[in-house]
Amino acid sequence: MVKKIEVPVSGIPFKNNANYCVGTGRMGLALQKEYIDHLKIVQEAVHFKYIRGHGLFCDDMGIYREVEMDGKTSTFYNFTYLDRVMDSYLENGIRPFLELGFMPEKLKSGDQTVFYWKGNAAPPVSYEKWAELITKTLNHLIERYGREEVVNWPVEVWNEPNIGFWAGTMEEYFKLYEYSAKAVKLADPRIQVGGPAICGIDTEHWLRSFFEHCIKKNLPLDFITRHCYTAQPTTTRGHYVYHVMNEPTFMIDELRETRKIMSDYPQVANMPLHITEFNSSYNPLCPVHDTNFNAAFIARILSEAGEYADSYSYWTFSDVFEEADVPKSVFHGGFGLVTLNSIKKPTFYTFEFFANAGNELLYRDENIIVTKKDDTYVIIGWNWHDMRDHKESPDKCYSLLLPSVGKQALLVKKEVGGANANPMQTWSNMGKPRNLDKKQLRILQAAAEPLQTDAKLFENKGVYEVKLAISCNHLCMIEIMPVDDKTDSYLGFDPEEFYGMK
Amino acid sequence: MVKKIEVPVSGIPFKNNANYCVGTGRMGLALQKEYIDHLKIVQEAVHFKYIRGHGLFCDDMGIYREVEMDGKTSTFYNFTYLDRVMDSYLENGIRPFLELGFMPEKLKSGDQTVFYWKGNAAPPVSYEKWAELITKTLNHLIERYGREEVVNWPVEVWNEPNIGFWAGTMEEYFKLYEYSAKAVKLADPRIQVGGPAICGIDTEHWLRSFFEHCIKKNLPLDFITRHCYTAQPTTTRGHYVYHVMNEPTFMIDELRETRKIMSDYPQVANMPLHITEFNSSYNPLCPVHDTNFNAAFIARILSEAGEYADSYSYWTFSDVFEEADVPKSVFHGGFGLVTLNSIKKPTFYTFEFFANAGNELLYRDENIIVTKKDDTYVIIGWNWHDMRDHKESPDKCYSLLLPSVGKQALLVKKEVGGANANPMQTWSNMGKPRNLDKKQLRILQAAAEPLQTDAKLFENKGVYEVKLAISCNHLCMIEIMPVDDKTDSYLGFDPEEFYGMK
Amino acid sequence: MVKKIEVPVSGIPFKNNANYCVGTGRMGLALQKEYIDHLKIVQEAVHFKYIRGHGLFCDDMGIYREVEMDGKTSTFYNFTYLDRVMDSYLENGIRPFLELGFMPEKLKSGDQTVFYWKGNAAPPVSYEKWAELITKTLNHLIERYGREEVVNWPVEVWNEPNIGFWAGTMEEYFKLYEYSAKAVKLADPRIQVGGPAICGIDTEHWLRSFFEHCIKKNLPLDFITRHCYTAQPTTTRGHYVYHVMNEPTFMIDELRETRKIMSDYPQVANMPLHITEFNSSYNPLCPVHDTNFNAAFIARILSEAGEYADSYSYWTFSDVFEEADVPKSVFHGGFGLVTLNSIKKPTFYTFEFFANAGNELLYRDENIIVTKKDDTYVIIGWNWHDMRDHKESPDKCYSLLLPSVGKQALLVKKEVGGANANPMQTWSNMGKPRNLDKKQLRILQAAAEPLQTDAKLFENKGVYEVKLAISCNHLCMIEIMPVDDKTDSYLGFDPEEFYGMK
Amino acid sequence: MVKKIEVPVSGIPFKNNANYCVGTGRMGLALQKEYIDHLKIVQEAVHFKYIRGHGLFCDDMGIYREVEMDGKTSTFYNFTYLDRVMDSYLENGIRPFLELGFMPEKLKSGDQTVFYWKGNAAPPVSYEKWAELITKTLNHLIERYGREEVVNWPVEVWNEPNIGFWAGTMEEYFKLYEYSAKAVKLADPRIQVGGPAICGIDTEHWLRSFFEHCIKKNLPLDFITRHCYTAQPTTTRGHYVYHVMNEPTFMIDELRETRKIMSDYPQVANMPLHITEFNSSYNPLCPVHDTNFNAAFIARILSEAGEYADSYSYWTFSDVFEEADVPKSVFHGGFGLVTLNSIKKPTFYTFEFFANAGNELLYRDENIIVTKKDDTYVIIGWNWHDMRDHKESPDKCYSLLLPSVGKQALLVKKEVGGANANPMQTWSNMGKPRNLDKKQLRILQAAAEPLQTDAKLFENKGVYEVKLAISCNHLCMIEIMPVDDKTDSYLGFDPEEFYGMK
């Protein structure tokens, strides 16, 4: 069935925060060459504004130290690595969305850790030293990067304190929040601070308690953060993890609900809501992340999430990531938009396409948005379907009537899916090599590119007619831009003599 | 109709000289950045061994000079630009196939010129000075690049003396040849020298006379050169030139004939035959050069020309070229494999594919070759048809049975034609901009890439079966390489959980 | 004798137009890779805002063309090369200061040419076609680069019409000016246009006549241009040219005089004065350009010229230049700041140092300026002397008392002269190779660097005391910047254990 | 006092293994961008053949893993990071000299660790699993890089088992050696294996016991390894460590002694002796590593060590190093030839100069070597002195008479010391910033370059006379190469007109 759409001449603002923020493996990994290579690739195409991840205060960043001399112990803050990481972020046009955590060895009150790389989840032995660590770190950043720059770097207090990332109670988290938020404001009152950075467990209770606590104690609070994943609990098999997957609207519903809870508190109701992590699966060993399905699935979320949230930070931009140990193969189910060896995964293009969307929204449904910027249409389409039922979903077919932007236009289409931009399939055809030789790399990098085609459009009765069929688990972007036809300036041009050129 | 081919286990050597030599615009253009950019691109993919063009002794290279002081005139050889050009050739892994010409201003005996850039076609006022120019130039090159290097640089005497490039008679050319060949050998007897560099007019007479002259006078002669173009006379219309086109076998026939004439002279019969220029059209304003038709057409020639000729130098690698004035638009019918702004034309891939062919020829017909290198099959297919008859040629369909190189194999196919690697069509859809802005450039560079797809093959009764349909004016390359399937090493791998991955 | 200077706390604005504009070889050379390499090097260090040279309308740029079809001749403007050159200027952060000239082959009324590359100096056969060429070219640039950009590109009418560059009378130049200036304003009235671009012959007569003509006819005129060279007539010997050299103040005097003439015409008096060419010698075969003497000599000019002129465009940034034929050797007396093989000449640093000067002038005499930007002092010193008298000039010695900018400061000095940044001497020691091999290049590039040294300064009674001796034909720059000494933060630091570190 | 040396016409082979091997921080650091940047810099100048460091089997490399599925535990070898590191080594033209260690978490029998990064020093819980890990790793490398390549990679068993790096007895080390050496030979008998990798404690006992053990048990043993440091025990103060320093001959004596011990065992006597670590201080917080003193001190060692040892691997090429925690400042006393921010330290040039030495040794004493390669002299001089006595050592002065290689020669001198190539002093003048801003970086990188000067030499009675004075803690290299003087080819050249050029 073909859906016929008469696209209106003007629309509404497209609330599109697709490239506001992106997730990253722990900060210590940002020293790796491969990490920086991936960041360059992502930034060239998507231009994320912020980057957020764990590990600022973990010991591999080397910041919090104590040193003894002549029987006296003193604190020493070592910013060698922090500066190197921040330098390379800024060089790549991205700013940190700082997450305060985890606990430095010398400040930990317990031994509970998370991940292969052992982030310490314990409350500090001294809240004062913790607060000083925050203020000193921010002051150092201000000294190095300038106050006017650093006041643009938001700060989030800890990560998912509602589960094993925090070896304390909710009340202890509130205490941590209070010390942290005040320490941030001590560096500069303009620096935005927020929380509670929870994942989707016991959400309402945590949110309400957090809001009430902050309001009651009049704590600094500039924005609200939480995480959203759409997968149901995991089944682990060897080196893999599998899930039942919810629909993408599951996340949209969560956002709506969060806004609803917020709206009960006038002091909080209009605050920015940052989803500081989201993805389909919450596990870096789940194949879904490497699929075309995921590209289409995430597109559905990006098409609407901006109505409710001020950012939604895809977890993560790169498969340089070690939470579940060092990756064991090029494709291994990692979170990244880019996998090892700089191969772009399908979902990379979801973000590239949405970063390129127009700021005016002319039409939106479950499978398509039509946007405009200046005199160019940008249309994004998707058709997700969980193929584990062994049934292909039918094509989503459209006939679009677009108000013309000139007598003639160029349509350029980029397609992801099937034989194109599906490198995991090519890699599987290759026999699933764990590491690549140069020839395999060349094949895979070409296999990761979308299919680009183009066509001429002519205005007819004030509109262009564009037909579009989106196949199962495909994602596409269409750009339509006005053409100034110079053919007449080509003296002696005879179309008959161009061997079939149209 | 599907052609069913049982490819044999072993074949014959594939006489493939596709990347032995390539043509270039006049040497002075090699100073341009755009020229060097194109050379890099071509060399990365095709790895030509030699490059040949005009203009070594033209005044824009600045070599031959006379200077006066105190009433005395002396000759001065200025190698500033020559060295710069040779440096950049060698840095790009290509050696010069030197053409001696045209006549320096100070040595010319007349004013007849060729091309927009006015190469002087007159015989020298002094054959002795001409000879000295050659020897001094070669000696300089030997001093700079080393004798063992320079003895690998062949030298051809003049260009197309049988038409307007030479303002003298045949006998005068023979005199020029004699002086030149001896001057070359004076620099080093190992340097190979040859001629007569004629185009396809009055060929037999020129060849026989030249052979007889050289034999009679016992002149140095190490190889024979001529040119081949397959287009009939031009019709000029404004900025374009059009032709009736011969079949590609026209050139193969010419080569056979040349070899036959050579075989009448035992001293010449087994000499190398270098086609120092070839193409479809001989005019740089003919649209054919920019088409997919040309890619397929040239493929037919490359598939067989090596049986008769030791090289066939495609005229030319780049549209940085000024024989018919400065190019007026991105696509303008130039000879190049690459057009302005570093956009690869379809025929670029003809050379890339043949440069990648195996050294063992297992099967060849009018539309396909099957070759092998080590354990990899390289198959190239083409289907040329002059669309000016408004009829699409039918697909060329094959079912190939290839002796297996393992239980499982990867097939990678690259296709040129139709919507892919057809940038002139995209440029036309764009309205035929003369120069490109950054967005147009990005679109065109992506449009210039072939479509790559891949598939898994399984051995069945000792063979792989591969079906192939080559559409009208398409060119394709298929590589088939053995796969070592590592799937079993993936602990917990469940194919059902990969969202449709096959 | 040591000059003791008490530098005041505040000064006057430093009128420094050292990097406003620079000269270039003809526009067609801007296609060369070597040219672009040099431009990058110069722009990285000096950041010139504008670039001016000849040849916009010369035939190697290919712009003005006529084409015949069906018995009808039409004009065709080909902007392929112009766009390529403008693209590469803008990519390197420099804008064109357009010079209209010379005459296209198809518009020339005579055969008088200038230079090895034969710029045609004749008036147009049709002033209307000339005017149309200008307007079409500007309109094309506006279409490609945007109107708001192109209105910043000044336009100068022709070059040195008072000598052999113009094969017409003064009155004919005024006619050319009128047609040209109006054609410029037709493209956009905001584009600045000026002339008369004369060299220093019969100056006053030309200037007054030109002013009076423009005023009388009320012609568009936005700025005044002329050229200044400080060398006396040439003696030619083989491949070289030698002169008697005037003092640098010769040029300052010329500027003053020009301003005086201008001041007699209220309509002109306050217009910008652009010296669109200046140098010591006006010949590209004069060794002076390659010497340290020249670096110091030009420094004297740069220290004061901004008081009278709004720009003074050093002729030229690069030895990629062909007015006197293709350069015959690495060092050959060319105008460039950079010679072939990207070797920086001493005068390169004169411009680098002045481009780095502060905007506040605290002190200036014949051999030194003391400037300040923010809290950093920038001091430039020079000591030129024409060594052809075989006598070294005595050192210029200073003791500077600079108001402190903190308790402690870092002094960094860069020196040009003697054994440092004197690559022509090294090249001479090498035996004067015409082209370089890789080892020679490496040695020369290192030899071309200035000597950098540094020291700690301490405040004493509110000032730093800096002693400075400038040797014969040396140039130096001293930067003094405040230091925040972190030594106390180094726990356990024992200066005794640093093996002599101070 | 000037030492007058008549350098002979021919000499003896210079046993120079200065660039055979270099040390590195643990292998996991090779993933860092900064590490790879430094490696590129070092390889461009020094071209080390091998690189050796710790941590191949440490858990940050992620190789040895165990995984459970369905109640069954199996071993998994993950070569993701190993391949990435080896790829980047080979891309930079360096091969690994593999050190087997330390113990993977899953194989450790105890908890004793070394360094900030906690390398586990315990014997394996299963020697069989340890051996399998070695063989599997080598087999993987052979599969990826080719057997003919990998047989060139030597393997050393463990590191300094005679001190805290090995939590077992000497006998247990011998057991480890036996399992390891056999496991290596199982992968390929051509792979060279050796030990005992001891540092200079209880040396003779360890060497003799090891030799006797290997001989008695007829174990594979292809080369002998040990370490040499010339510093006496440490004094720790806060973030620094200080020592009394031995003379450089201390190390030469150790080498001689080791050779003497070896010579007692005919089976071992002629084996290669690899000093797999050496330096002045053995601690990465000792300022000596950053000084010019060290550059001259190490030069003395390099001048003679090749007489006794087949390699001596400077510990280490880069300050990307974490054994004593993350570096706290640009200069911090690290082992590297290059410190953070890619700043070359003085000792960098010691290796650059010796890598450039000739293969013929004409003269050698305590402060100078005179070598020759082809027709070029390479002279290296040094003058070390421990300035902690506050006395400058007198200059070492030479008058060298060198047999001429032509009438005229070019002398190029590079000097390290005093105001040149002494970036730590400049950094101290800067106030010792911990991290650098862009301006500081630019100043320091220039400050790190040696002073290059040059001069012309003329033959006189068959020799060149070269005078040389080496100041306290200076290092220099002089190259003297024949010059072909082209001055006569410069028509019109008048030396009087070159403004003082000599």
Side-chain angles (χ1 to χ4, degrees), chain B residues 233-246:
Chain B
T234 56
T235 306
T236 300
R237 296 285 304 154
H239 286 136
Y240 286 102
V241 149
Y242 306 120
H243 309 261
V244 172
M245 196 59 66
N246 293 319

Side-chain angles (χ1 to χ4, degrees), chain D residues 384-404:
Chain D
W384 81 95
H385 176 70
D386 186 339
M387 284 291 296
R388 291 178 295 180
D389 63 2
H390 296 282
K391 297 179 198 145
E392 291 239 330
S393 61
D395 287 5
K396 302 291 176 183
C397 295
Y398 289 87
S399 170
L400 301 169
L401 297 173
L402 297 146
S404 84

Side-chain angles (χ1 to χ4, degrees), chain D residues 185-302:
Chain D
K185 296 295 185 183
L186 198 58
D188 194 297
R190 289 173 297 168
I191 301 177
Q192 303 290 290
V193 66
I198 53 168
C199 67
I201 284 176
D202 202 13
T203 319
E204 181 160 358
H205 173 55
W206 268 78
L207 287 178
R208 291 194 185 276
S209 305
F210 179 68
F211 296 161
E212 287 159 14
H213 175 80
C214 289
I215 290 166
K216 192 174 114 200
K217 299 207 60 174
N218 197 22
L219 297 185
L221 178 64
D222 300 304
F223 57 82
I224 308 305
T225 67
R226 64 161 296 185
H227 300 169
C228 295
Y229 290 92
T230 54
Q232 296 182 20
T234 56
T235 306
T236 300
R237 295 285 303 153
H239 287 136
Y240 286 102
V241 148
Y242 306 120
H243 309 261
V244 172
M245 195 60 64
N246 294 319
E247 288 295 305
T249 44
F250 180 87
M251 170 157 161
I252 301 299
D253 293 342
E254 281 191 329
L255 297 182
R256 246 191 234 109
E257 214 175 283
T258 304
R259 272 289 173 203
K260 195 152 158 284
I261 296 167
M262 286 170 69
S263 72
D264 290 345
Y265 305 87
Q267 300 91 330
V268 166
N270 295 311
M271 275 190 189
L273 168 61
H274 291 297
I275 308 308
T276 47
E277 290 182 22
F278 94 100
N279 205 322
S280 47
S281 160
Y282 50 81
N283 187 293
L285 300 174
C286 178
V288 71
H289 299 119
D290 301 342
T291 65
N292 288 329
F293 163 77
N294 202 63
F297 181 94
I298 296 293
R300 171 62 188 89
I301 293 174
L302 296 190

Side-chain angles (χ1 to χ4, degrees), chain A residues 329 388 390 490 492 496-497, chain B residues 242 329 388 390 490 496-497:
Chain A
S329 180
R388 290 177 296 180
H390 296 281
Y490 285 77
E496 293 294 307
E497 291 284 353
Chain B
Y242 306 120
S329 179
R388 291 177 297 179
H390 296 280
Y490 285 78
E496 294 294 308
E497 290 284 355

Side-chain angles (χ1 to χ4, degrees), chain B residues 65 81 83 322 325 327 435, chain C residues 65 80-81 83 322 325 327 435:
Chain B
R65 292 299 188 253
Y81 281 174
D83 290 355
E322 291 184 347
D325 202 348
N435 273 5
Chain C
R65 293 296 188 254
T80 294
Y81 281 173
D83 290 356
E322 292 184 347
D325 202 349
N435 273 5

Side-chain angles (χ1 to χ4, degrees), chain B residues 160-176:
Chain B
E160 303 193 1
N162 58 332
I163 60 168
F165 288 86
W166 178 241
T169 62
M170 187 167 75
E171 284 65 36
E172 281 170 306
Y173 173 73
F174 292 168
K175 184 173 173 190
L176 184 84

